[in-house]
Amino acid sequence: MTTRQEIAIPAQVGERALRNAPATPRARPGFLERLGSFRLAAVGALAAVTFVCLFGHTHVVPGQIPPSSWFGLLSVPGSVATRGFLSIAAWMAAILLALCWYGFMRNALAGRLSVRVAAATAAVWAAPFAIGPPLTSLDIYSFAAQGKLLQGGHSPYVRGPAALGQGDFLAAVDPRWRNALSPYGPVGLRFEWLSALLGRGDATATVVWLRVLTILCVAGAIVLAVALASPARRPLTVVLLAMNPLLLVTGVSAGHLEALMLVMMLAAVLAERRHRPVLALVLSVAAGLVKAPALLLTVFLVVEHLRAAAPYRARRFTALRDGAAVVGALAAGTLLIPKGWGWIGTAVQTPASGRALWTPSTAVAEVFTAFGRWFGVDPSLDHVLSVTRLIGDVAALAVVIILLRRRGNYEARLGAALVAVAVLGVVLYPWYLLWGIPILIVSARRRLTSFVTLAVVVFATIYLWPEPKEAVAAGGALVGTLGKDPLVELLFLVTVAVAAAQFLLWRRVVNTRLAALAD
């Protein structure tokens, strides 16, 4: 009877076979990756400094006077053509910063980046935005005025900043929003009150304190995001969040309240992961009392808790516990300011008074109205807009319900729901995308998260596009002065050279990506 015997393979033969075996093909580094982290960081820092130094000279709102010129960085030249030149140069700097960020993202995806290098680069890039003036938005001046209003014992849900009377606080507010009621929750308004208290009645000091507290919130959100990410994913998390141009421009520089909301949301997610459901619910409600969309986190948490409690008695206890935590947190939050429930009516009405063409509901209404006029019908844009906004709200609600009914990773579903609410809402600003993108960064798949974040950065860069009338004026002034003013000719040549370099750089990036896909 024959027996099966094992055939032993000598170790030398195995080593030789492994040595002679063909190597596993690896993705070839693209042009941006081959530049190295140090060069990318240096170029990105230069782009950040250039943007901060130029953008404040490009934006003028009639009737709005900032409380400080910020060492001359907010002095706006009277010439429209000059503003056009500066806005084009600032926009190119923003594109260059986004390209450097893209190079870091590629390095992180390929495993060629450490957390230390990414964090150091993020700090260097954030420094100009933290030191420079508030850019791309005037909302921070409204925050300061609302804090001052609350400090005087008035409710921003009843009176707008105009109730302050003439002074630096009111002069800094955009005239379109001087009579607007606050759409922010009681926790957000108490945050503004704290800044006004620390500012001691001075408008500039209040804005500075708002920036300082917001930057602390941004730093806290980054630390929480890194803690939520797995060790292998942390370099990519730092790149996608801390180095993200959208966060640098709208969070660090503009000082939007999304930073406060975000740090509370991420803290709630971390508490839920550590099996502290009551603390997670309280933090989620606190985030919702900054901006209402964050209350979606509360809904998702309650649903997940009820699903986890299988027996009927356990589910009843969970429902009572979660209900008590949510109601108690809401009641305590509304007591923070006078007439604390007043934000329920203003949370939707105030943002709805703004219009942005890149908002899907507004774009559809504009196109529909244009087609109607083309065919001899003159529909009212306001009526069409009310219909498209209603459709957008219904679509957002449908997406939220579908994602709630699904099972699995609730964090990724929550991030997708918050992005859907931002995109399909009554108005879309780039910083609204910070509601859901950070949640996706710490929970969704790496490639999907990177693609979505890249799309968001591209949208934010397009948002900084120069005003058409200023760009046209710059072109007309250039044509009229060519051959007459050597300084203008030099500026023109430098602009063309930078634009050509960016085009060639972007072309090499695209060609590298196409070659990688072909392989």
Side-chain angles (χ1 to χ4, degrees):
M1 180 172 132
T2 59
T3 59
R4 182 179 298 174
Q5 297 180 352
E6 287 188 67
I7 302 175
I9 301 177
Q12 295 83 356
V13 177
E15 291 176 0
R16 191 182 305 116
L18 289 174
R19 188 164 52 248
N20 296 331
T24 303
R26 297 182 64 184
R28 184 177 59 182
F31 174 74
L32 288 175
E33 293 93 318
R34 292 199 300 271
L35 283 178
S37 298
F38 179 78
R39 293 177 183 174
L40 282 174
V43 175
L46 178 61
V49 172
T50 303
F51 179 83
V52 170
C53 291
L54 295 182
F55 193 86
H57 301 299
T58 66
H59 191 63
V60 57
V61 175
Q64 189 270 339
I65 304 173
S68 170
S69 66
W70 221 276
F71 307 104
L73 293 177
L74 290 180
S75 59
V76 181
S79 171
V80 178
T82 304
R83 295 202 301 269
F85 278 121
L86 295 175
S87 61
I88 292 172
W91 186 56
M92 288 182 178
I95 294 176
L96 186 58
L97 179 62
L99 285 172
C100 293
W101 170 84
Y102 177 78
F104 271 101
M105 185 185 75
R106 295 291 303 159
N107 283 334
L109 286 171
R112 293 188 290 264
L113 186 67
S114 66
V115 175
R116 182 176 300 179
V117 172
T121 304
V124 172
W125 286 10
F129 294 98
I131 298 172
L135 300 175
T136 72
S137 174
L138 301 177
D139 286 359
I140 194 170
Y141 301 119
S142 295
F143 303 159
Q146 290 166 5
K148 179 65 175 176
L149 197 65
L150 187 59
Q151 190 182 21
H154 304 289
S155 174
Y157 302 140
V158 178
R159 296 184 177 184
L164 291 173
Q166 297 299 320
D168 292 340
F169 280 95
L170 182 62
V173 178
D174 189 323
R176 294 171 297 178
W177 303 107
R178 288 178 180 173
N179 291 303
L181 304 180
S182 175
Y184 310 111
V187 174
L189 288 182
R190 186 54 68 176
F191 181 80
E192 298 170 356
W193 168 87
L194 177 60
S195 303
L197 181 67
L198 294 172
R200 297 184 178 182
D202 183 75
T204 302
T206 301
V207 172
V208 170
W209 275 110
L210 272 169
R211 294 279 302 282
V212 170
L213 296 177
T214 302
I215 291 170
L216 291 176
C217 291
V218 170
I222 294 169
V223 171
L224 290 170
V226 172
L228 286 166
S230 62
R233 191 173 176 146
R234 285 173 181 172
L236 181 62
T237 300
V238 175
V239 171
L240 295 182
L241 185 59
M243 296 172 59
N244 194 322
L246 174 62
L247 183 67
L248 295 176
V249 173
T250 65
V252 177
S253 178
H256 285 288
L257 292 180
E258 271 70 14
L260 176 62
M261 181 185 78
L262 180 59
V263 71
M264 291 183 176
M265 289 180 65
L266 292 175
V269 172
L270 183 61
E272 180 66 17
R273 284 194 185 181
R274 295 185 175 180
H275 307 291
R276 297 179 180 177
V278 175
L279 178 60
L281 285 171
V282 171
L283 288 171
S284 69
V285 172
L289 293 177
V290 178
K291 282 198 166 185
L295 289 174
L296 271 180
L297 173 57
T298 306
V299 177
F300 273 82
L301 288 176
V302 170
V303 171
E304 291 301 309
H305 293 167
L306 292 176
R307 283 176 176 170
Y312 174 74
R313 290 184 179 179
R315 185 168 295 181
R316 184 173 58 181
F317 170 76
T318 300
L320 291 174
R321 180 200 65 191
D322 289 4
V326 171
V327 172
L330 284 173
T334 55
L335 294 176
L336 289 175
I337 64 170
K339 302 184 185 298
W341 290 104
W343 72 295
I344 296 177
T346 61
V348 176
Q349 295 176 0
T350 302
S353 59
R355 292 181 184 176
L357 188 58
W358 48 82
T359 305
S361 58
T362 303
V364 172
E366 293 280 359
V367 171
F368 186 85
T369 304
F371 270 104
R373 291 171 181 170
W374 178 271
F375 289 105
V377 182
D378 191 12
S380 170
L381 177 60
D382 292 334
H383 292 163
V384 176
L385 187 59
S386 62
V387 174
T388 56
R389 283 178 169 176
L390 177 61
I391 294 173
D393 291 339
V394 172
L397 179 61
V399 170
V400 171
I401 293 175
I402 291 172
L403 292 172
L404 271 173
R405 291 175 60 87
R406 290 181 177 270
R407 295 180 180 269
N409 186 353
Y410 88 92
E411 296 172 10
R413 291 185 285 117
L414 169 66
L418 287 169
V419 171
V421 169
V423 172
L424 298 173
V426 295
V427 64
L428 171 63
Y429 294 112
W431 50 91
Y432 285 7
L433 296 172
L434 290 175
W435 300 346
I437 292 298
I439 307 294
L440 289 175
I441 288 174
V442 301
S443 60
R445 290 178 298 175
R446 287 170 20 118
R447 293 285 176 179
L448 175 62
T449 301
S450 302
F451 176 78
V452 173
T453 309
L454 177 61
V456 168
V457 170
V458 171
F459 169 64
T461 307
I462 296 174
Y463 172 78
L464 300 174
W465 175 270
E467 291 288 338
K469 64 178 182 179
E470 294 178 353
V472 171
L478 177 64
V479 172
T481 55
L482 282 179
K484 300 179 182 180
D485 192 339
L487 182 61
V488 174
E489 292 179 2
L490 177 61
L491 179 61
F492 172 71
L493 292 175
V494 171
T495 304
V496 171
V498 172
Q502 288 183 348
F503 172 76
L504 294 175
L505 179 61
W506 183 252
R507 185 178 177 183
R508 294 190 67 171
V509 170
V510 173
N511 289 339
T512 303
R513 294 294 298 138
L514 292 176
L517 291 175
D519 293 340

